[in-house]
Amino acid sequence: MTASSSAYPMFDASEASIVRERAVSELRYGRPVLLMHGNLQYAVVSLDTATPEILSRFGDIAANRQELFITAQRAQKLGITAPYGALINVSDTDYEQLATIAYGFDTTANPSYRSASESLAKLEILARSALLLPAFMVFEIASSDHRFDGCVMLDAATLEHDSVAEAHFSIVARTQVPLKGIDTAEFVVFRGGVAQRDQIAIVVGSPDMSKPVPVRIHSSCITGDLFGSLKCDCGDQLRKGMQLIEQRGGGILLYLDQEGRGTGIASKMRAYGYQTAGLDTVDADATLGFGDDGRAYGAAVAMLRGLGVSSVELLTNNPRKIAAIENAGFTVRHRTPVLGLVTEENRGYLRTKVRRSGHMIDIESLKIPAE
Ligand SMILES: Nc1nc2c(ncn2[C@@H]2O[C@H](COP(=O)(O)OP(=O)(O)OP(=O)(O)O)[C@@H](O)[C@H]2O)c(=O)[nH]1
Ligand SMILES: [Zn+2]
């Protein structure tokens, strides 16, 4: 084999999605990245992963002029109105105090701040990609400052929510798996999109792709799907969804790698902690800095296209899923509700879904049998 003498690199390492994934990796290891916006450059570290030592070094380099970025949702919890988030003055704030301001249950802090620019609001997108809390230490650096040379540098303008247009997926494996109560099921593994993660489509039976196909788009819920958590209805919905598809004579279940509505298992468990302390699911996420539901359905769209689906019967109570599929050009012929068992433990969660997230569940049906 002869070595290539091409003057061109094998791939374009400046491609926005690759730079973003490198930045994600750096942030998860607690290291700084550079966020560019026009002539401005910000050194940024994640509060979720940076150690006190890293933060202290960061503060030394910034000569104590670093600020804490929090999202608009978290700012609102602190009584601050800032549409793109806020930059909190933290010159004399220790690590514990930073965490309290950034995502603590106690929201009584009254810090001095300035409103963040639109470009810094993009840090929330980066946090979601990295499955980290959306709180960052930020320091604006001069172009003559070379102390962050070597850090991954990304352009804020390239940080957009997972868009369908950029999602390229391909099938890497498909194989039959015998499932309890299901006649035939084929697991089709797709690879692509953000971080080239693997996503699964389960094709039940042999659906006619030229007709409306029964489809459930299911976001992963380790606690509910695997362990039978009583806090939500996910496990029931998963199994009911599969049964409904089987009863229809075949269809597709898309199992999306979107734990905790895309915030990741760590943030979901933190949110559960706040729920135990009395917050509902939406307020618990907002207290951590997250918006109501930031899930993107690019992977679902790509998988349905990859399987040759154009028209669906969607098994869901969530209007956002319908909108996402319709916006991508699919015809939603029919919607079938999927409701799990209502229990004392999940009733509040289901009510919040109806009242605050617009889920189409008959509130009367949320009475538990003994009521
Ligand atoms: N952040 C957060 N995520 C949760 C909580 N409870 C469940 N989840 C996640 O919520 C998602 C629920 O997914 P789905 O059942 O597909 O979606 P849905 O929005 O309920 O819509 P349908 O079930 O289709 O009506 C999963 O990713 C769960 O991990 C919670 O309290 N906080
Ligand atoms: Zn769940």
Side-chain angles (χ1 to χ4, degrees), residues 221 223-225 232-235 268 272 349:
C221 177
T223 43
D225 296 342
C232 60
D233 56 341
C234 303
K268 180 173 141 182
Y272 271 17
Y349 170 74

Side-chain angles (χ1 to χ4, degrees), residues 188-366:
V188 185
V189 180
F190 284 81
R191 183 168 297 162
V194 176
Q196 294 292 294
R197 292 214 289 256
D198 295 342
Q199 309 271 357
I200 313 162
I202 299 150
V203 181
V204 175
S206 308
D208 181 347
M209 302 301 185
S210 67
K211 298 212 171 101
V213 179
V215 169
R216 167 138 183 92
I217 301 172
H218 191 92
S219 306
S220 66
C221 177
I222 293 173
T223 43
D225 296 342
L226 283 184
F227 295 101
S229 162
L230 302 174
K231 261 183 80 64
C232 60
D233 56 341
C234 303
D236 276 351
Q237 283 187 310
L238 177 62
R239 276 164 275 281
K240 269 205 179 162
M242 289 293 280
Q243 278 164 13
L244 277 169
I245 291 170
E246 172 82 354
Q247 283 161 13
R248 298 276 191 288
I252 300 167
L253 186 134
L254 303 176
Y255 194 79
L256 302 181
D257 180 4
Q258 279 181 337
E259 186 64 36
R261 293 189 213 109
T263 63
I265 187 67
S267 292
K268 180 173 141 182
M269 289 303 102
R270 283 166 160 141
Y272 271 17
Y274 288 174
Q275 288 172 33
T276 305
L279 299 185
D280 73 24
T281 169
V282 175
D283 279 333
D285 278 2
T287 301
L288 294 173
F290 293 109
D292 179 7
D293 185 345
R295 273 178 287 175
Y297 292 98
V301 165
M303 288 196 280
L304 290 177
R305 282 193 189 135
L307 293 169
V309 175
S310 59
S311 164
V312 299
E313 173 200 355
L314 211 54
L315 311 180
T316 185
N317 313 314
N318 186 345
R320 290 184 197 185
K321 290 184 182 173
I322 301 172
I325 294 305
E326 283 183 336
N327 289 342
F330 293 91
T331 307
V332 178
R333 280 265 173 261
H334 187 68
R335 176 189 77 87
T336 301
V338 192
L339 195 63
L341 197 66
V342 182
T343 65
E344 195 55 61
E345 292 86 353
N346 71 18
R347 192 166 45 143
Y349 170 74
L350 294 171
R351 287 208 162 132
T352 304
K353 274 188 172 185
V354 178
R355 292 192 177 135
R356 304 197 62 185
S357 306
H359 282 236
M360 297 173 285
I361 302 172
D362 172 15
I363 202 101
E364 279 301 304
S365 69
L366 298 183

